Amino acid sequence: MLREQLIPLVRRIGPEPELAPARAARCASTVPGLALTRYVPRFPASVELGREAIVNWLEPTVQRFLTAPTP
């Protein structure tokens, strides 16, 4: 999925297409991290988050990974 779907998307929307693999990898690690804490050890703080809260918390981070200038 990362190679076939996410990297091409990041190449189109990111400011530096050559950094698409690194940016895609950062995004791909963030979302599964929340899913892991929510469904495997079932951390209460993760389990209690509703859909809107998840989007509100993750969106700025994913957006930054995709489009922010390279630090």
Side-chain angles (χ1 to χ4, degrees), residues 45-62:
S46 293
V47 173
E48 294 167 5
L49 288 172
R51 181 184 179 134
E52 186 174 337
I54 290 171
V55 170
N56 289 338
W57 276 102
L58 290 183
E59 187 274 332
T61 299
V62 171

Side-chain angles (χ1 to χ4, degrees), residues 2-56:
L2 181 68
R3 189 175 304 139
E4 294 175 9
Q5 295 178 11
L6 195 52
I7 292 173
L9 172 68
V10 176
R11 275 198 180 102
R12 286 194 307 271
I13 64 174
E16 301 155 313
E18 68 278 5
L19 295 179
R23 289 177 180 270
R26 288 174 182 88
C27 292
S29 68
T30 300
V31 175
L34 175 65
L36 174 72
T37 63
R38 186 175 172 94
Y39 297 108
V40 178
R42 299 190 53 80
F43 292 159
S46 293
V47 173
E48 294 167 5
L49 288 172
R51 181 184 179 134
E52 186 174 337
I54 290 171
V55 170
N56 289 338

